[in-house]
Amino acid sequence: MTLLNNLLSALPFLDQQQASMLIDAFLPMLRGAIVNTIPLTLLSFLFGMILAVFIALIRVVPRTNPLYALGYYLARVYVSAIRGTPLLVQLFIIFYGLPNIGVKLDPFPSAVIAFSLNIGAYASETLRAAILSIPKGQWEASYSIGMSYAQTFRRTIMPQAMRVSVPPLSNSFISLVKDTSLASTVLVTELLREAQNIAATTYEFLWIYSEAALIYWIICFSLSLLQGRLEKHFSRYG
């Protein structure tokens, strides 16, 4: 620590006290990232993707009866409402608004619900576009060997659509890591909330928030490297 302190304080824009403060602030912010930011991202993306697949299917399957038609229009309203309103407003409605009608949720579940609903709407459009991008000849070829609509969709269309969806969905996941910083507004002690607490006591807003930004960047850069490997893997089957 002494060596790191000396290295930081050797920088022309940092003194010994600021260097020590940055070192002391690192572990609490890292803990906030590990304990809340990363789990919040993973859970929200998982639930959001489950919802996205369901919504995408509703919007692409043939509307052969009134029930399917109703589901289609409800899905359109949901996607339009989520895409047309700010994520922060959605978060506030769930955490601060629902208690007015007797539904009180803790900060972390509130954030998971808000982010899941948001990801579900955007990812459903990504999946829907990917499904519609598959040539009609793939459907016809599957029908010609005796597959039903469900079998064609499950065995032929969805595997190709998921491969096409990897780049945009990976970008959505990386964006979600940064979006989880909004959870600090509903008292989730994630990375940014920890940075806010430290900055409020040290008054070193520039250096604390810069350090938090560096941690976010390291996480997102690591994920972008993983994204590149995934895209390279799936490109073999293109």
Side-chain angles (χ1 to χ4, degrees):
M1 286 295 182
T2 303
L3 177 60
L4 181 58
N5 193 315
N6 291 335
L7 287 174
L8 289 175
S9 59
L11 297 173
F13 43 79
L14 285 177
D15 57 31
Q16 191 81 19
Q17 183 178 0
Q18 290 172 324
S20 298
M21 178 266 301
L22 287 175
I23 293 172
D24 293 340
F26 179 76
L27 284 180
M29 287 194 283
L30 183 63
R31 182 176 61 247
I34 294 173
V35 173
N36 282 312
T37 298
I38 294 175
L40 179 57
T41 302
L42 293 174
L43 287 173
S44 300
F45 193 77
L46 173 62
F47 294 141
M49 283 305 302
I50 294 172
L51 181 60
V53 171
F54 179 69
I55 295 297
L57 290 177
I58 289 176
R59 298 193 64 188
V60 299
V61 297
R63 298 188 292 278
T64 54
N65 61 55
L67 185 60
Y68 283 0
L70 176 61
Y72 171 81
Y73 288 111
L74 289 176
R76 286 192 61 179
V77 170
Y78 157 70
V79 171
S80 177
I82 294 297
R83 295 178 68 192
T85 55
L87 174 56
L88 186 59
V89 174
Q90 298 162 18
L91 192 58
F92 277 19
I93 288 173
I94 292 171
F95 185 70
Y96 295 112
L98 290 183
N100 290 342
I101 58 173
V103 181
K104 189 173 182 179
L105 299 171
D106 289 334
F108 192 86
S110 297
V112 170
I113 292 171
F115 292 132
S116 298
L117 290 174
N118 191 269
I119 281 290
Y122 283 94
S124 71
E125 288 296 278
T126 299
L127 291 174
R128 185 175 70 90
I131 292 169
L132 296 178
S133 72
I134 306 302
K136 290 185 178 180
Q138 297 287 330
W139 292 90
E140 295 168 356
S142 298
Y143 290 150
S144 69
I145 59 174
M147 286 189 183
S148 65
Y149 179 90
Q151 289 174 324
T152 299
F153 197 89
R154 186 176 67 253
R155 297 179 181 178
T156 304
I157 304 303
M158 277 305 290
Q160 297 181 71
M162 293 305 295
R163 178 179 60 81
V164 172
S165 300
V166 166
L169 290 179
S170 298
N171 290 333
S172 296
F173 184 77
I174 293 172
S175 294
L176 180 59
V177 173
K178 296 176 289 183
D179 289 341
T180 56
S181 61
L182 294 175
S184 63
T185 62
V186 294
L187 311 179
V188 177
T189 53
E190 42 70 67
L191 171 54
L192 181 60
R193 185 71 179 185
E194 291 285 0
Q196 290 174 327
N197 292 338
I198 296 169
T201 58
T202 62
Y203 295 98
E204 293 288 354
F205 297 99
L206 174 62
W207 302 121
I208 293 297
Y209 289 141
S210 295
E211 186 174 16
L214 178 63
I215 296 174
Y216 276 115
W217 177 74
I218 291 172
I219 295 173
C220 292
F221 181 73
S222 301
L223 290 173
S224 67
L225 294 179
L226 178 60
Q227 175 187 357
R229 293 177 66 89
L230 282 174
E231 291 181 11
K232 185 176 180 181
H233 172 76
F234 284 108
S235 66
R236 302 173 185 174
Y237 308 102

